[in-house]
Amino acid sequence: MRKPEVAVSPPKLLRFGPFEVDTRAVELRKHGIRIKLNQQPVLILNMLLEQPGQLVLREEIREKLWPDDTVVEFDHSINAAIQKLRDALGESAASPCYIETLPRRGYRFIGTLEATAPSVESIAPVPAPDTQASAAPPASATPAPAPALRLSGRKRWIPLAIAAAAAVAGLMAFVTRSSLTATRQTTAKWTFSLGAVANAVVSPDGSAVVYTTSRGTVLRRLESLEEIPISSEKRLGDNVVWSPDSSKLLFRTILDLTRLPLPNGPPAILWPQTGVTRGYALAPDGTVLVSVLGRPDGGGLWMIPATGGDRIPLEIPGLRDGNLFYPEFLPDGKNILFGWEPFPRETEIGVYLATLDGGKITRGPFLLLKSVTTAHYAPSLGGKLLYVQNDKIYAQTLNIDRGMLESEPEKVVDGVFSNVVTHYPGFSVSRNGVLAWRGGRAGVAQLTWFDRRGAVLGTAGPPCFPDAVRLSPDEKHILVNTVADGGGWGIVE
């Protein structure tokens, strides 16, 4: 007699950061490897993941784990299970990444939850980037391998987004396929999480991304879940920069500007104790540009020749008495982009194009536009300049020979973080159209005076990023330490 077939439901995988929970097998895994943990902590985690962001009461946990009036010391058992769970996740109650404790009440999952990605063939169109946030993301496991990104001969935007508004805990990564033209834009999307990361920079070939975590700076290939440690520094002095061939990284620790061959080459210190930087760039031939703020031997733009030797200051014709931000080599290795802010400070800066040859600026600079941030160049789609304005990424065609922008601005993404003090654009773009951005809006604070009843009395100083604020004994002055222009203490009346 033939046995009846039994339908077995597939395992349901819930992912957050490097972790996943198999709710059917009641297993917790990290990077696909099972973590040895008994069922009670995993069952509690599953309860939290079923209601992300919502409070799960201790009484609800008791009823789930010990029904039918089971004789057990509930409080001690729940506390022990939560502690084992925290140990497995590598966090503490004092500084949680995933599980928040509400004393005497319960627990809440505060990480970024996702599911797994369908195959490339099953991806369906969703709205364009400015409306896609409302679309329900499809289930997803891991991003498709890089070769699968080439869907056809047409050129495509393939945005990889690190999305986290200031009010949302954690960061999300979105991989979105789209075909962008001047008149019509269609998009297909799947989503996967990078966890609580910051400052993601995609490689020029679109195959990998570097970002900062609580453990330091790591490299991740887009076809893999593995995070390869790059630097133990939890906060680099500036964003990581890739070499044009995606084989090296350039980054500044608290002190030194360092070049690192991938995957495990020996690091080389290019500039010991470089001071405060506002970006750097690496040319195809190995030439390095560094933007430095206020040093005893002078700020401005400096060049480190590919052949070695002394650093060379570069004078930009017509641009003096100001700060230069985030230089970038175009693919030809000669033309450069940069931002320039004159003294006194302005809300918007100029984005310029210039030609570097023989250690000198030989053409330009050409003012391309005024923007709150600097810009990036994307060779795909005929050569686009991308920049942030009004919390949106716009693209315009750049005519390099004429030193000017052509075509009307096209909106690429809505809801993008930017730093209006350092003029850092919260996105990066590969040369084949992979776009990485951090969702949100312009991040800046305005110091404001309030009376004891909460009424606004006025503002204090310009918008800034205050690191520390001290009120004088007479309550008429404040001492502020900001990160603008390299930081420093200042008095505001």
Side-chain angles (χ1 to χ4, degrees):
M1 182 176 180
R2 185 177 181 181
K3 295 182 180 180
E5 295 183 357
V6 178
V8 179
S9 61
K12 181 180 179 182
L13 300 180
L14 301 176
R15 298 181 182 276
F16 57 97
F19 300 98
E20 68 180 18
V21 174
D22 186 331
T23 60
R24 183 175 169 219
V26 194
E27 291 180 354
L28 174 65
R29 303 168 188 149
K30 182 176 182 180
H31 296 310
I33 301 174
R34 181 184 176 185
I35 298 176
K36 292 182 179 180
L37 200 62
N38 62 36
Q39 285 195 347
Q40 288 181 350
V42 183
L43 288 172
I44 293 175
L45 178 58
N46 189 39
M47 293 180 68
L48 299 174
L49 296 178
E50 288 176 348
Q51 306 175 63
Q54 302 297 316
L55 171 64
V56 176
L57 298 174
R58 290 174 67 88
E59 180 63 22
E60 294 175 319
I61 296 175
R62 183 195 69 78
E63 293 176 355
K64 176 73 173 181
L65 269 60
W66 299 283
D68 304 323
D69 298 323
T70 305
V71 178
V72 68
E73 175 52 54
F74 301 122
D75 287 336
H76 173 76
S77 298
I78 292 176
N79 292 342
I82 288 291
Q83 185 57 53
K84 290 179 181 178
L85 183 56
R86 290 195 190 281
D87 291 342
L89 298 177
E91 66 171 25
S92 66
S95 56
C97 296
Y98 303 110
I99 300 175
E100 178 186 20
T101 300
L102 282 73
R104 296 182 296 278
R105 298 180 62 197
Y107 306 92
R108 176 163 53 205
F109 180 75
I110 59 173
T112 299
L113 182 63
E114 43 133 341
T116 41
S119 63
V120 172
E121 291 77 13
S122 66
I123 297 174
V126 298
D130 56 336
T131 58
Q132 67 190 15
S134 61
S140 148
T142 57
L149 296 178
R150 296 187 287 272
L151 293 182
S152 72
R154 293 179 297 170
K155 296 181 179 178
R156 297 175 177 267
W157 286 110
I158 312 172
L160 162 70
I162 316 289
V168 180
L171 300 178
M172 285 289 291
F174 300 92
V175 176
T176 307
R177 301 183 193 282
S178 63
S179 176
L180 181 64
T181 66
T183 58
R184 182 174 178 268
Q185 180 171 325
T186 58
T187 306
K189 174 181 91 171
W190 72 92
T191 303
F192 65 95
S193 172
L194 291 178
V197 306
N199 302 329
V201 183
V202 68
S203 62
D205 63 8
S207 68
V209 63
V210 169
Y211 51 82
T212 303
T213 71
S214 59
R215 303 172 302 282
T217 301
V218 299
L219 164 71
R220 175 174 164 181
R221 302 292 179 186
L222 294 187
E223 73 274 10
S224 171
L225 292 175
E226 181 184 7
E227 293 180 337
I228 303 171
I230 296 299
S231 171
S232 61
E233 296 281 351
K234 296 182 180 179
R235 182 177 179 182
L236 297 181
D238 225 324
N239 287 336
V240 171
V241 169
W242 290 82
S243 64
D245 62 359
S246 302
S247 69
K248 302 179 187 67
L249 294 176
L250 193 63
F251 60 91
R252 182 173 71 84
T253 63
I254 298 301
L255 295 176
D256 307 323
L257 182 66
T258 302
R259 183 178 60 210
L260 180 69
L262 297 175
N264 295 306
I269 297 178
L270 302 183
W271 192 338
Q273 300 187 5
T274 183
V276 178
T277 58
R278 280 292 178 262
Y280 22 79
L282 189 57
D285 67 357
T287 299
V288 175
L289 294 181
V290 186
S291 175
V292 183
L293 298 182
R295 287 175 49 86
D297 55 350
L301 186 62
W302 291 72
M303 185 180 75
I304 303 176
T307 56
D310 295 335
R311 298 180 292 272
I312 301 171
L314 292 179
E315 184 173 330
I316 311 294
L319 299 181
R320 294 182 177 86
D321 299 326
N323 282 325
L324 187 142
F325 294 84
Y326 303 106
E328 177 179 311
F329 279 103
L330 270 58
D332 59 16
K334 297 292 185 182
N335 289 290
I336 59 173
L337 291 171
F338 59 88
W340 175 263
E341 179 189 59
F343 297 135
R345 295 176 57 87
E346 297 179 356
T347 302
E348 292 187 322
I349 63 171
V351 176
Y352 289 85
L353 172 72
T355 302
L356 176 65
D357 192 13
K360 296 180 180 180
I361 299 297
T362 58
R363 191 177 74 108
F366 303 103
L367 177 61
L368 302 177
L369 79 156
K370 289 276 191 173
S371 175
V372 295
T373 72
T374 51
H376 293 306
Y377 179 72
S380 58
L381 301 173
K384 298 283 187 178
L385 188 76
L386 274 64
Y387 56 92
V388 176
Q389 198 73 280
N390 299 322
D391 304 327
K392 301 174 180 63
I393 296 178
Y394 289 94
Q396 284 184 263
T397 301
L398 173 60
N399 188 321
I400 298 174
D401 293 335
R402 299 179 63 186
M404 61 182 296
L405 293 177
E406 299 176 339
S407 78
E408 293 298 315
E410 300 174 61
K411 184 173 69 173
V412 179
V413 177
D414 196 354
V416 179
F417 168 82
S418 61
N419 186 322
V420 298
V421 173
T422 63
H423 304 296
Y424 168 70
F427 74 93
S428 68
V429 62
S430 75
R431 292 185 176 175
N432 59 357
V434 178
L435 179 66
W437 79 91
R438 175 178 173 180
R441 58 184 182 180
V444 69
Q446 174 63 65
L447 296 172
T448 305
W449 289 106
F450 295 84
D451 64 16
R452 297 184 185 277
R453 294 173 297 179
V456 176
L457 298 177
T459 60
C464 63
F465 283 84
D467 183 56
V469 179
R470 299 290 185 270
L471 184 65
S472 66
D474 63 5
E475 299 185 355
K476 295 181 179 180
H477 303 79
I478 55 175
L479 188 63
V480 181
N481 185 27
T482 75
V483 298
D485 295 331
W489 289 92
I491 297 176
V492 180
E493 297 187 4

